[in-house]
Amino acid sequence: MDNANIFDIFLKTNALLNGHFLLTSGRHSNQYFQCALVLQYPQYNEIICKLIADYFKSYEIDTIISPAIGGICVGQEVARQLNKRFIFAERENNKMTLRRGFQIKPNEKILICEDVVTTGGSVFEVMDIIKENNAVTVGVGMIVDRSNSKVKFGVPQFSTLKLDVVSYQPDECPLCKENIPIIKPGSRKKAP
Ligand code: ZN
């Protein structure tokens, strides 16, 4: 399974669309990406997560952790394949935290798994939780690195797909200049 095949799965499941899109930010883009549309198919999640599991299988790992919500099915599947414990962190009052009785022991070796990294904010917050518990982040595995490798976590990191998503202010959009109709993703309708 190489990068081209992963890309193919994203196209096949409509997780990655090429065209002219109105993003929620108001900017325009030639690509729209929704990772959950891949992860709705467990058989694809298994194939994609195997790349992450294979990459980290020689590392000493006690536990896998993911930031909720997007990372949960990634971390759970990687943990299943590596036969490790899986926990997740979630936001409470806008701060990433461990709830539900999840605990991290001192010196525990932890792999973070995420679906999509754009700025890396959630992953950095999970790294802080690991540090606060005197445990060790051994690496970060993600399905898609949307920063095109610009985000560095300072530990071994692996992504199954790198995307450099380009977006434009509406008045500078080259697709608008070509009069290509714009689509608002999720609506299947042309944006007004
Ligand atoms: Zn446009």
Side-chain angles (χ1 to χ4, degrees):
M1 181 63 56
D2 56 21
N3 221 314
N5 287 323
I6 294 288
F7 200 76
D8 205 48
I9 291 174
F10 278 82
L11 292 175
K12 195 156 57 181
T13 56
N14 285 334
L16 186 63
L17 301 174
N18 289 310
H20 182 196
F21 301 101
L22 177 61
L23 306 180
T24 45
S25 62
R27 292 171 70 88
H28 294 190
S29 178
N30 64 346
Q31 265 186 348
Y32 176 73
F33 176 67
Q34 177 51 265
C35 200
L37 292 178
V38 172
L39 303 182
Q40 68 183 317
Y41 302 105
Q43 70 272 30
Y44 291 140
N45 192 27
E46 181 177 5
I47 290 168
I48 294 167
C49 286
K50 185 170 189 305
L51 299 178
I52 298 173
D54 283 350
Y55 185 86
F56 287 106
K57 71 182 171 198
S58 64
Y59 286 66
E60 202 182 322
I61 294 166
D62 299 309
T63 296
I64 316 273
I65 187 170
S66 292
I69 297 171
I72 290 178
C73 51
V74 181
Q76 172 78 46
E77 176 59 21
V78 172
R80 186 187 70 81
Q81 294 189 23
L82 294 176
N83 195 23
K84 304 294 179 191
R85 183 170 82 107
F86 171 71
I87 60 176
F88 59 87
E90 60 200 301
R91 287 194 188 282
E92 190 176 43
N93 302 323
N94 212 30
K95 189 183 184 302
M96 198 61 85
T97 184
L98 285 183
R99 297 178 63 195
R100 303 167 199 267
F102 289 144
Q103 287 185 336
I104 294 175
K105 294 192 202 79
N107 300 317
E108 205 169 334
K109 294 176 182 61
I110 301 184
L111 174 68
I112 302 172
C113 286
E114 175 65 302
D115 60 344
V116 183
V117 165
T118 306
T119 62
S122 298
V123 171
F124 282 116
E125 281 187 69
V126 172
M127 290 177 83
D128 288 342
I129 293 173
I130 293 169
K131 200 186 287 177
E132 284 159 17
N133 286 277
N134 299 309
V136 183
T137 301
V138 298
V140 178
M142 57 207 129
I143 291 185
V144 177
D145 180 355
R146 277 182 88 170
S147 80
N148 200 22
S149 303
K150 285 194 269 291
V151 172
K152 303 284 185 206
F153 296 110
V155 293
Q157 65 186 70
F158 172 79
S159 60
T160 69
L161 192 66
K162 289 180 174 61
L163 292 177
D164 191 7
V165 178
V166 180
S167 66
Y168 310 96
Q169 290 296 344
D171 56 353
E172 294 168 353
C173 177
L175 302 158
C176 283
K177 293 195 175 92
E178 289 174 46
N179 291 317
I180 296 168
I182 192 163
I183 304 284
K184 194 174 180 202
S187 70
R188 292 263 161 213
K189 288 187 191 130
K190 283 175 195 170

